[in-house]
Amino acid sequence: MIICIDPGHGGEDPGAQTNTPFYYTEKQFNLSLAKKVQTILEDNGHTVYLTRDGDQYISLYDRAQIANSTNADVFVSIHANGSSDPTSEGMEAFHYTGSSSGRSLANLILNSMHDEFRDHIKRGVFSANFAVLRLTLMPAALIECEFITNPHQARFLQDERNQNIMAEAIARGIQIF
Ligand SMILES: [Zn+2]
C-alpha cells in the first residue's frame, strides 16, 4: 500500500498549544507521531510519504497535492485537538462529507486507537469539509488524538510510550482498511 501521512500544521503555524503543565505545541506532537507511524508502516512493507518531515509550513492545498502526486491509496492527517475549555478531552476522527470509504478509514483508526486507550473518551467519527479531506483523491481521514489544551492530556500526548502505542494503533487501523 502507498500511504500519505500528513502531520498537521508546522512552521509559523503551531496549531493548538499549551503552557500547562509545560509548553507543548500540536505541530511538534503531530510530527513526532507521524514519524512513528511511518516507521511502523515501512517496517511492514508499505511505502509511506509524509507531507512534511520537519518544522515547515505547508499549505492545506499543497498537502493535498503531495498526497495526490504520490498516488497514495490512503491519506491520514494527524492532529491534536484544542479548546478554550481546559477540561475538554477525547479522541475523534473526521472524513469528507459523503465519503463512505473515508468514513470507514476514520472508523477503523479511531476504534483501533480507542482499543488501546479505553479510559479515554471516544467522541466519535464526524463528517467535515476540511480542505485536506476535500482535495485529496483517495480515502482520507483526519484524526484528533486528544486535547493538548487539557493539562492531563498534554502529558498523555507528550509521553513517548503513549505515542508508540498510538502509532501502532493508527498503523493497524490503516492496514486493516
Ligand atoms: Zn490541528
Side-chain angles (χ1 to χ4, degrees):
M1 207 176 351
I2 303 173
I3 298 141
C4 184
I5 303 290
D6 174 44
H9 310 280
E12 67 202 51
D13 170 19
Q17 53 187 311
T18 187
N19 286 304
T20 319
F22 38 69
Y23 177 68
Y24 195 39
T25 61
E26 187 195 341
K27 67 177 183 178
Q28 288 176 270
F29 167 79
N30 296 343
L31 183 61
S32 173
L33 183 61
K35 285 183 169 176
K36 291 175 186 297
V37 175
Q38 176 184 32
T39 300
I40 295 161
L41 289 170
E42 286 178 348
D43 286 349
N44 286 318
H46 301 287
T47 300
V48 180
Y49 297 98
L50 298 182
T51 55
R52 67 176 176 99
D53 62 3
D55 183 20
Q56 67 252 59
Y57 177 80
I58 317 268
S59 74
L60 298 175
Y61 177 81
D62 284 345
R63 291 168 195 264
Q65 289 308 115
I66 290 166
N68 293 340
S69 69
T70 61
N71 273 317
D73 299 300
V74 165
F75 175 87
V76 177
S77 188
I78 293 180
H79 289 253
N81 225 331
S83 169
S84 56
D85 178 355
T87 66
S88 292
E89 61 183 332
M91 303 170 166
E92 60 193 15
F94 295 87
H95 61 88
Y96 183 53
T97 310
S99 170
S100 57
S101 59
R103 184 177 181 196
S104 164
L105 177 66
N107 259 307
L108 288 169
I109 296 173
L110 185 66
N111 288 338
S112 180
M113 284 169 60
H114 192 253
D115 282 346
E116 296 293 339
F117 300 106
R118 292 209 163 265
D119 55 328
H120 287 251
I121 294 168
K122 185 157 75 173
R123 295 166 67 96
V125 169
F126 307 101
S127 66
N129 188 25
F130 298 151
V132 289
L133 300 178
R134 183 179 66 247
L135 299 172
T136 42
L137 301 173
M138 65 293 299
L142 183 147
I143 54 172
E144 296 278 4
C145 295
E146 251 302 348
F147 281 76
I148 201 169
T149 44
N150 177 316
H152 175 70
Q153 301 303 350
R155 234 184 251 288
F156 166 79
L157 289 171
Q158 199 238 18
D159 189 294
E160 190 87 14
R161 291 160 302 179
N162 291 335
Q163 286 187 18
N164 287 333
I165 296 167
M166 201 176 285
E168 293 281 357
I170 293 167
R172 201 159 47 243
I174 291 170
Q175 289 176 107
I176 57 178
F177 174 69

